């Protein structure tokens, strides 16, 4: 049976929760579309996050990797299209480090595109009544570093796996501390991620529909 690695990130920026890890850890051990889901937590420490991810990839050798992250302020499930080779941290990470204008990997290309069928995955969520969209930016912080690292691992090692990054909104109890910020229930986010995994496993080529942005 194949393995799907689902990663979440530890809380950061003073939060006590991170929806990405709350969702991921609840999926650990589930069987879905002929695959076993394995959840692992990644640190919000930019210098350590990709070595930790690479160890997981080499050990588990998953067929599919879905890295999850928190995007406070976004109202829907957002599937990232492109990772860029840049770290420009607006806030310090959990080790107190704040790298500015540095590459994720000096030897890497400027960017990578996801290898997941993100438009089909968005369509699947919308059909279930879950707000979702394609995002053109994963930021320039820890989440983008993870996404770029995953893509770099797959490309540089010609690894037989597909992978990508998905941003999740705040949980309601988190949004309560951020007046006006949108949120999404944990159960809805968990159902959404299962749908994303199922769709990715069952979809070899993405659909061709418009999902771009004007700005």
């Amino acid at each position: 049976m194949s393995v799907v690695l689902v990663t979440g990130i530890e809380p950061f920026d003073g939060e006590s929760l991170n929806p990405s890890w709350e969702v991921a850890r609840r999926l650990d051990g589930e069987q879905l579309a002929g695959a076993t889901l394995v959840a692992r937590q990644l640190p919000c420490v930019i210098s350590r996050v990709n070595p930790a991810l690479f160890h997981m990839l080499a050990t588990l050798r998953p067929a599919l990797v879905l890295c999850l992250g928190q995007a406070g302020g976004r109202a829907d499930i957002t599937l990232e299209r492109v990772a860029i080779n840049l770290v420009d941290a607006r806030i310090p990470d959990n080790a107190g480090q704040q790298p500015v204008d540095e590459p994720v990997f000096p030897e890497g290309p400027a960017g990578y595109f996801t290898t997941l069928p993100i438009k089909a995955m968005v369509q699947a969520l919308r059909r279930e009544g879950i707000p979702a969209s394609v995002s053109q930016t994963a930021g320039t912080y820890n989440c983008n570093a993870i996404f770029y690292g995953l893509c770099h691992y797959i490309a540089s090692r010609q690894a037989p796996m597909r992978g990508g990054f998905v941003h999740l909104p705040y949980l309601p109890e988190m949004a309560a501390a951020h007046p006006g910020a949108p949120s999404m229930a944990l159960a809805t986010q968990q159902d959404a991620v299962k749908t994303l995994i199922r769709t990715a496993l069952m979809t070899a080529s993405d659909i061709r529909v418009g999902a771009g942005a004007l700005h």
Side-chain angles (χ1 to χ4, degrees):
M1 183 173 285
S2 62
V3 168
V4 173
L5 173 62
V6 185
T7 68
I9 305 170
E10 66 184 355
F12 66 97
D13 196 23
E15 302 286 353
S16 60
L17 296 171
N18 188 316
S20 66
W21 178 238
E22 295 306 309
V23 170
R25 70 187 184 90
R26 285 167 171 79
L27 298 177
D28 188 49
E30 285 205 26
Q31 309 293 313
L32 187 64
T36 299
L37 309 189
V38 177
R40 295 288 187 270
Q41 187 182 70
L42 290 170
C44 186
V45 179
I46 296 167
S47 64
R48 298 206 302 260
V49 72
N50 276 314
L53 175 62
F54 287 10
H55 177 73
M56 296 171 191
L57 296 175
T59 302
L60 295 169
R61 289 186 279 185
L64 186 77
V65 185
L66 193 66
C67 295
L68 307 175
Q70 170 188 307
R74 293 189 187 181
D76 58 354
I77 306 288
T78 49
L79 285 79
E80 300 299 342
R81 189 198 294 260
V82 61
I84 61 173
N85 194 10
L86 175 68
V87 179
D88 190 2
R90 182 178 60 82
I91 58 174
D93 64 18
N94 284 356
Q97 301 301 307
Q98 191 174 358
V100 172
D101 295 342
E102 296 182 5
V104 184
F105 286 97
E107 76 281 9
Y112 288 108
F113 287 106
T114 184
T115 53
L116 296 182
I118 56 173
K119 292 183 176 181
M121 293 160 76
V122 165
Q123 186 181 82
L125 287 186
R126 290 176 176 173
R127 284 174 175 167
E128 293 186 359
I130 300 174
S133 62
V134 172
S135 168
Q136 316 303 328
T137 175
T140 57
Y141 192 54
N142 196 59
C143 289
N144 176 73
I146 293 168
F147 185 19
Y148 188 93
L150 171 62
C151 295
H152 190 63
Y153 183 97
I154 293 172
S156 62
R157 291 166 172 77
Q158 298 183 327
M161 64 181 70
R162 294 184 297 157
F165 198 97
V166 175
H167 267 120
L168 305 178
Y170 280 143
L171 299 171
E173 56 267 45
M174 299 173 71
H178 301 275
S183 66
M184 186 179 291
L186 177 58
T188 302
Q189 295 198 35
Q190 186 173 332
D191 288 344
V193 171
K194 290 172 70 172
T195 295
L196 293 177
I197 294 169
R198 185 183 302 109
T199 304
L201 288 170
M202 298 175 65
T203 307
S205 299
D206 206 358
I207 59 176
R208 189 175 177 83
V209 296
L214 294 179
H215 53 78

